[in-house]
Amino acid sequence: MEFSSKLIEKAVNEMSQLPGIGKRTALRLVLHLLKQPKEQTGFLSQALLNMREDIKFCENCHNISDTKICEICANQVRNHQTICVVEDIRDVMAIENTGQYKGIYHVLGGKISPIEGVGPSQLNIPTLVEKVKSGTVVEIIFALSSTMEGDTTNFYIYKQIAGSEIVISTIARGISVGDELEYADEVTLGRSILHRVPFEKTFKNN
């Protein structure tokens, strides 16, 4: 792709680093920004800078937040004895949109994936184990995607907390095997949360 401007070329190259954005789409976005008032581009740039500089991770659940403790964890109306274990903020948003879950979350920050070089030590698993050992947790709900990596992560955590006097469940398989949680429709995801099953049943019947 030939550019008549090095400035445009650099902007397109940076924009195309975003997931799902190819060079042609990046060029279309850059040319769109070029047509907008300068202050509009400034608002976008400032918003991105503020996000990178000021974003925090909740000290309790590791969810992305504007404050040290996220709004969900700070909400005393929520059931703090039930913890839903998810991969990242997209899954928190998906479950919250169902309106069916009233507990709190624990964001792992990924899934165990040897192929991608992600091991248990790179995830927020130790803090989850500490919560279970504290004796304040009644139920852990595994809500990771129904993939090999998700099931491996579920089983690893299960082994870490096995023997604890808590209920360990997983969302019902209304979510198709191999599906990512964030793409599930709200009705299916909501029913999967409500009709969760004991985690042991998911591997003892295999």
Side-chain angles (χ1 to χ4, degrees):
M1 187 178 289
E2 296 293 329
F3 295 91
S4 59
S5 165
K6 293 295 182 183
L7 295 173
I8 292 291
E9 182 178 5
K10 185 175 181 180
V12 168
N13 287 337
E14 292 301 323
M15 190 78 76
S16 64
Q17 300 300 311
L18 297 172
I21 303 295
K23 285 289 181 69
R24 292 186 183 279
T25 301
L27 177 59
R28 189 161 58 249
L29 293 172
V30 168
L31 293 178
H32 172 75
L33 289 173
L34 198 58
K35 293 178 182 178
Q36 302 304 304
K38 286 186 178 181
E39 59 266 24
Q40 188 64 42
T41 305
F43 294 150
L44 173 61
S45 300
Q46 193 59 52
L48 293 172
L49 285 172
N50 290 344
M51 177 190 69
R52 289 298 294 133
E53 292 176 1
D54 299 333
I55 204 74
K56 297 177 177 61
F57 291 91
C58 177
E59 295 179 353
N60 184 53
C61 73
H62 308 290
N63 191 14
I64 292 175
S65 175
D66 293 339
T67 55
K68 290 184 178 180
I69 301 297
C70 71
E71 292 182 358
I72 295 175
C73 288
N75 187 346
Q76 295 304 310
V77 177
R78 311 272 309 207
N79 178 5
H80 286 246
Q81 294 181 314
T82 301
I83 298 177
C84 185
V85 180
V86 297
E87 181 181 349
D88 60 32
I89 186 174
R90 293 171 297 181
D91 299 330
V92 173
M93 294 170 66
I95 294 173
E96 283 297 287
N97 285 338
T98 70
Q100 300 294 330
Y101 180 66
K102 304 303 179 185
I104 59 175
Y105 297 88
H106 186 91
V107 181
L108 295 177
K111 295 174 290 192
I112 296 174
S113 178
I115 294 177
E116 297 179 2
V118 179
S121 62
Q122 294 167 274
L123 304 178
N124 298 319
I125 294 177
T127 49
L128 176 62
V129 175
E130 288 176 11
K131 290 176 185 177
V132 173
K133 291 182 177 179
S134 71
T136 59
V137 180
V138 172
E139 181 181 8
I140 292 289
I141 305 170
F142 290 134
L144 300 183
S145 300
S146 304
T147 60
M148 183 180 296
E149 292 81 6
D151 289 344
T152 298
T153 307
N154 285 341
F155 188 69
Y156 178 86
I157 297 173
Y158 170 77
K159 296 298 289 184
Q160 295 296 305
I161 61 179
S164 303
E165 296 295 323
I166 64 170
V167 175
I168 304 174
S169 61
T170 184
I171 56 176
R173 293 301 189 183
I175 309 300
S176 300
V177 174
D179 279 358
E180 295 291 342
L181 200 69
E182 64 178 296
Y183 299 124
D185 66 272
E186 294 174 8
V187 174
T188 300
L189 184 54
R191 287 174 179 170
S192 295
I193 288 287
L194 290 176
H195 301 297
R196 56 188 181 271
V197 297
F199 179 66
E200 291 94 335
K201 289 185 178 181
T202 65
F203 60 86
K204 287 183 178 178
N205 294 334
N206 291 340

